[in-house]
């Protein structure tokens, strides 16, 4: 025989798979990752190439900040504007993604900025996003959508 009282507890793990359907505006994503690239003593300048492949139905303006131990911002990757990531193309009849979008951005850091980021301990990544066509179209988000980021660096080094 089992009894349940006002102090009884039950723990249930549930996994629900539902597609997300709707719109969003002014949606902010933020993440912090460790950063430790203090081996840049001989680097005079470097260009960081960012290649983005977006399989999600939202536009986003990205920025990457370099911060110290106290999370004080030392510098940012982009000095004017943001990294713009256009939305994937959406089928307006059913709200599903038809084709991913791509974007490429080059950002150059001179020696003064490199010296600043040598003291950075964290990268703070922030994105302001809105669903397709600035949140004016209902979209569907599925688990098989993907977002891909590739980074490359071209550096001028004194040996």
């Amino acid at each position: 025989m089992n009894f349940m009282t006002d102090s009884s507890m039950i723990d249930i793990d549930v996994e629900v798979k539902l597609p997300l359907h709707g719109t969003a505006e002014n949606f902010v994503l933020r993440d912090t990752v460790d950063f430790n690239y203090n081996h840049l003593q001989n680097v005079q300048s470097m260009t960081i190439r960012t290649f983005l492949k977006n399989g999600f139905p939202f536009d986003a303006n990205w920025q990457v900040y370099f911060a110290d131990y106290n999370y004080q911002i030392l510098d940012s990757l982009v000095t004017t504007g943001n990294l713009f990531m256009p939305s994937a193309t959406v089928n307006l009849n059913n709200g599903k993604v038809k084709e991913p979008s791509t974007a490429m951005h080059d950002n150059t850091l001179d020696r003064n900025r490199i010296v600043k980021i040598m003291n950075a301990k964290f990268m703070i990544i922030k994105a302001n996003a809105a669903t397709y066509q600035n949140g004016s179209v209902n979209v569907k988000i599925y688990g098989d959508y993907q977002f891909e980021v590739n980074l490359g660096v071209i550096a001028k080094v004194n040996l």
Side-chain angles (χ1 to χ4, degrees):
M1 191 188 259
N2 292 325
F3 293 95
M4 186 175 266
T5 67
D6 62 347
S7 61
S8 297
M9 295 178 62
I10 187 168
D11 186 20
I12 300 173
D13 290 326
V14 177
E15 181 177 330
V16 178
K17 292 185 178 183
L18 296 173
L20 179 62
H21 185 165
T23 65
E25 294 179 67
N26 300 317
F27 186 70
V28 177
L29 302 166
R30 188 178 300 209
D31 195 9
T32 302
V33 295
D34 291 337
F35 179 84
N36 186 1
Y37 288 95
N38 54 5
H39 301 291
L40 301 171
Q41 296 90 336
N42 296 327
V43 177
Q44 295 306 304
S45 68
M46 65 181 175
T47 299
I48 300 172
R49 175 165 287 172
T50 309
F51 180 79
L52 306 168
K53 184 175 181 182
N54 183 12
F56 284 87
F58 57 79
D59 295 318
N61 285 302
W62 292 80
Q63 178 60 280
V64 177
Y65 299 101
F66 300 96
D68 65 14
Y69 274 119
N70 296 315
Y71 298 94
Q72 296 297 311
I73 305 297
L74 302 172
D75 205 346
S76 61
L77 178 61
V78 183
T79 56
T80 56
N82 292 296
L83 297 170
F84 180 68
M85 178 187 66
S87 169
T89 305
V90 174
N91 181 326
L92 297 178
N93 294 324
N94 63 18
K96 293 176 96 173
V97 166
K98 290 192 304 187
E99 184 177 340
S101 68
T102 59
M104 186 175 68
H105 301 279
D106 287 344
N107 295 281
T108 301
L109 284 75
D110 63 17
R111 181 66 191 157
N112 291 333
R113 294 181 67 208
I114 292 168
V115 169
K116 285 183 190 178
I117 70 167
M118 285 172 58
N119 296 316
K121 300 301 174 200
F122 302 103
M123 281 192 326
I124 300 169
I125 303 159
K126 181 182 174 189
N128 294 320
T131 53
Y132 191 65
Q133 295 183 353
N134 203 27
S136 65
V137 174
N138 279 333
V139 297
K140 294 182 179 179
I141 310 280
Y142 289 95
D144 62 343
Y145 289 176
Q146 295 183 352
F147 177 67
E148 184 178 320
V149 178
N150 291 295
L151 296 173
V153 176
I154 300 169
K156 181 179 177 184
V157 180
N158 284 346
L159 297 176

